[in-house]
Amino acid sequence: MTAPNCIKLKISKPIFFTLIYAILVTYLAYHHAMWRDEIQSWLIAKDTTSISDFFSVLKRENHPLIWYALLAPFVRLAKSPELLKIVNVLISVVNVYLCIQFFIKKNIDRILFIFGFYFLWQYGAVSRSYSLGILAILLFLINFKSQNYTKAAAFLIIASNVHILFNILAIAYITTWFSLYFIKSEQYLFKRLDELPLLSLGIVFLGVILSLLQTIPPHDTAHAQTFILSLDLNRILLVINKLGYILGREGLLYAASTCIIIFICIGLVGFLNFGSRFLITSLFGFSLFWYGAKNVVYGSAPWHSGMLLVTVMLFFFINDSIKNKIYTTLFTLILFTQAYFGVRAAYLDLKVPYSNASQMANFIKVNKLTDCIIVADPDFAAIPISGYLGGKPIYIVSQGRYQTFMRLDKPTSSSSEIITPKRLFTEAHKLGPKVIVCTNYPIENKISELYGFRPIALFDGAANSDENYVLYAQ
């Protein structure tokens, strides 16, 4: 008798590494305590009352609509913002698969990549719009490399309408795309100007304009980002320090190392080789300029700096002909430092909650206080609690109204107006007998007791100190 045929299951290396990443990022996301910037987008998609209200809110948020529009169907499926994690993890897994399948070829680089600070934690475990923008950029590059310009243009439009930083990347790509006519590339050879994909370029240009129209805030926006045109030494040092995030951490040492890598990349490739590598070299230099400009005029944060990291990675990704040991060693170095800080961030997130909002909301549920009126201030500290309570409106004293997410239509939004404990408890006392007060700072017992309130819960020690809480009840 012959033995029955055995069914052999063969998993490709890209799938294997992606599965490892999927397990890691799912575990981290499950244990990650979401903070206000994550839950804000969920509540906007959930609680805007009309199309006009939706666009009015986004106008003041300085963000285009696509991320919020993507969340809109999901907010109808569940009240809990935890579903947001599932959406973001799925997008992040696709991102990692595309990078490993199409761009990263060395197994050691693949291992380091899946543990990286940005892809594992900042854009993986933390659920924000950046993962969607990166997906659109990756799909743009894949289609651009295969010279499918119509699809490439479509994905670039999506990217530019996810976040203003991707709009900057889109502008860089448009510039590079057009410049290929003047720099005769071996791979993208346009002999005449009319051979350029002008229709695709025009579509992308309109998409960029649409994104800018959505992100320029009205004059009455509270705390709108303002230009700081002074190029003083402190601002310049701020930009230089933040370059270090390419290697995983802010600081002069990391920034200096980054500058050396930039010099080698642009110097050796940009000036000595005008072949097909010009595409990503031009993009890199242009994006670097805009990154610096953004830091000078707006300021920045670690999650913004990841866009520059993605640009550096694309430098190595876009062309398979980069076999020089200098480049491969530098790329591995970048991935190694990213992996170190990625594992470190993941460990800290598992050990210390990023926000205590979920614990506060759970305390309110367990102790059957959800029927009480919740009074809080400032508004940004109350947002995540509202989200974890399924979008329960909270009375914000500085705003003088009930709300779930932070609306930037009043000058007193955020912390522009300091609400004294006296005013906080006075306003709470006026609202009725079933009132609880939530603050993100402790208040002396004698002050709260003067108005008939006593502390009943304290949640301290969160990594984001703005989201530690004290709860008071009558």
Side-chain angles (χ1 to χ4, degrees):
M1 294 179 65
T2 58
N5 293 331
C6 296
I7 299 176
K8 295 183 178 180
L9 181 62
K10 186 177 181 180
I11 301 177
S12 65
K13 288 183 179 179
I15 294 293
F16 174 73
F17 286 113
T18 303
L19 287 175
I20 294 175
Y21 171 82
I23 294 171
L24 288 172
V25 76
T26 301
Y27 181 79
L28 286 176
Y30 177 79
H31 291 280
H32 171 68
M34 290 189 290
W35 70 305
R36 59 179 174 270
D37 280 14
E38 297 172 80
I39 296 180
Q40 170 84 349
S41 59
W42 176 267
L43 290 174
I44 288 174
K46 178 181 177 296
D47 292 337
T48 43
T49 56
S50 64
I51 297 296
S52 60
D53 184 37
F54 177 72
F55 281 103
S56 175
V57 169
L58 291 190
K59 188 79 170 177
R60 292 177 167 83
E61 283 284 306
N62 304 126
H63 291 121
L65 64 88
I66 288 185
W67 174 244
Y68 303 87
L70 174 66
L71 296 180
F74 295 98
V75 299
R76 306 297 188 267
L77 298 177
K79 290 184 178 181
S80 172
E82 293 290 337
L83 187 60
L84 176 60
K85 294 181 179 180
I86 299 176
V87 176
N88 191 72
V89 164
L90 290 175
I91 296 172
S92 301
V93 169
V94 174
N95 286 340
V96 168
Y97 172 76
L98 291 177
C99 289
I100 292 176
Q101 174 67 33
F102 290 95
F103 303 120
I104 306 179
K105 304 301 181 183
K106 292 169 59 178
N107 288 336
I108 183 63
D109 289 346
R110 288 169 170 173
I111 293 172
L112 293 172
F113 175 72
I114 63 176
F115 285 96
F117 172 75
Y118 282 104
F119 280 83
L120 179 62
W121 189 75
Q122 190 71 74
Y123 301 151
V126 180
S127 302
R128 299 193 65 191
S129 62
Y130 302 104
S131 57
L132 180 61
I134 291 171
L135 174 60
I137 287 292
L138 292 174
L139 291 173
F140 160 78
L141 284 170
I142 292 169
N143 284 278
F144 187 93
K145 192 173 183 180
S146 63
Q147 300 185 24
N148 191 334
Y149 298 125
T150 303
K151 287 185 179 180
F155 287 120
L156 199 55
I157 290 172
I158 293 174
S160 64
N161 283 273
V162 170
H163 195 282
I164 186 64
L165 293 176
F166 294 107
N167 205 348
I168 292 171
L169 284 176
I171 294 171
Y173 274 119
I174 291 173
T175 304
T176 302
W177 208 337
F178 190 79
S179 67
L180 292 176
Y181 167 73
F182 301 99
I183 303 295
K184 301 304 180 183
S185 167
E186 297 174 1
Q187 186 174 357
Y188 308 97
L189 184 60
F190 303 114
K191 296 180 180 179
R192 301 188 312 274
L193 192 61
D194 59 4
E195 291 181 351
L196 281 170
L198 294 178
L199 178 60
S200 297
L201 282 170
I203 292 172
V204 173
F205 182 75
L206 291 176
V208 168
I209 296 300
L210 176 62
S211 173
L212 290 174
L213 290 176
Q214 294 176 74
T215 52
I216 298 175
H219 64 87
D220 60 345
T221 300
H223 299 286
Q225 293 177 324
T226 55
F227 285 92
I228 303 174
L229 299 178
S230 173
L231 294 176
D232 59 85
L233 180 61
N234 289 333
R235 298 289 295 180
I236 294 173
L237 289 176
L238 174 66
V239 175
I240 294 175
N241 276 336
K242 289 180 182 295
L243 285 173
Y245 275 116
I246 293 179
L247 295 179
R249 190 172 188 177
E250 182 177 343
L252 284 176
L253 176 61
Y254 295 95
S257 303
T258 299
C259 290
I260 292 172
I261 293 175
I262 292 170
F263 174 78
I264 293 174
C265 293
I266 294 182
L268 294 183
V269 176
F271 293 109
L272 301 180
N273 189 326
F274 289 102
S276 59
R277 301 175 198 174
F278 175 81
L279 170 68
I280 200 63
T281 305
S282 176
L283 164 68
F284 180 67
F286 196 82
S287 297
L288 182 62
F289 167 78
W290 277 101
Y291 170 82
K294 184 185 186 301
N295 274 275
V296 169
V297 300
Y298 284 135
S300 189
W303 44 89
H304 296 155
S305 304
M307 297 303 100
L308 188 56
L309 167 70
V310 171
T311 306
V312 174
M313 293 173 64
L314 295 179
F315 173 90
F316 295 94
F317 290 170
I318 191 63
N319 197 295
D320 295 334
S321 65
I322 298 180
K323 303 296 183 182
N324 189 292
K325 288 186 178 180
I326 295 177
Y327 298 115
T328 56
T329 302
L330 288 173
F331 185 48
T332 302
L333 173 63
I334 291 173
L335 294 180
F336 177 80
T337 56
Q338 280 288 312
Y340 170 77
F341 287 107
V343 172
R344 185 171 179 269
Y347 171 76
L348 291 175
D349 200 16
L350 292 172
K351 185 178 180 181
V352 179
Y354 197 75
S355 166
N356 276 321
S358 61
Q359 295 187 52
M360 175 58 77
N362 186 60
F363 179 87
I364 292 173
K365 292 176 183 177
V366 170
N367 289 275
K368 300 179 180 180
L369 299 173
T370 51
D371 291 337
C372 295
I373 297 172
I374 302 177
V375 177
D377 215 273
D379 50 2
F380 62 77
I383 288 169
I385 296 176
S386 172
Y388 278 113
L389 291 175
K392 177 180 174 62
I394 295 177
Y395 185 82
I396 306 299
V397 175
S398 61
Q399 298 285 290
R401 65 187 176 191
Y402 292 91
Q403 58 188 65
T404 58
F405 58 87
M406 188 169 67
R407 291 178 176 267
L408 298 174
D409 57 351
K410 287 188 176 183
T412 55
S413 289
S414 296
S415 57
S416 59
E417 179 182 338
I418 298 175
I419 301 300
T420 64
K422 178 180 178 180
R423 181 179 171 188
L424 185 66
F425 289 115
T426 299
E427 294 286 337
H429 189 73
K430 292 178 181 178
L431 293 174
K434 294 185 64 176
V435 177
I436 54 178
V437 176
C438 183
T439 67
N440 63 341
Y441 58 91
I443 298 173
E444 291 185 29
N445 288 347
K446 62 180 181 179
I447 297 178
S448 62
E449 291 172 358
L450 182 64
Y451 295 90
F453 289 87
R454 58 184 177 83
I456 61 172
L458 168 66
F459 296 96
D460 201 2
N464 185 359
S465 59
D466 285 342
E467 294 181 19
N468 290 314
Y469 299 101
V470 185
L471 188 67
Y472 300 85
Q474 290 176 312

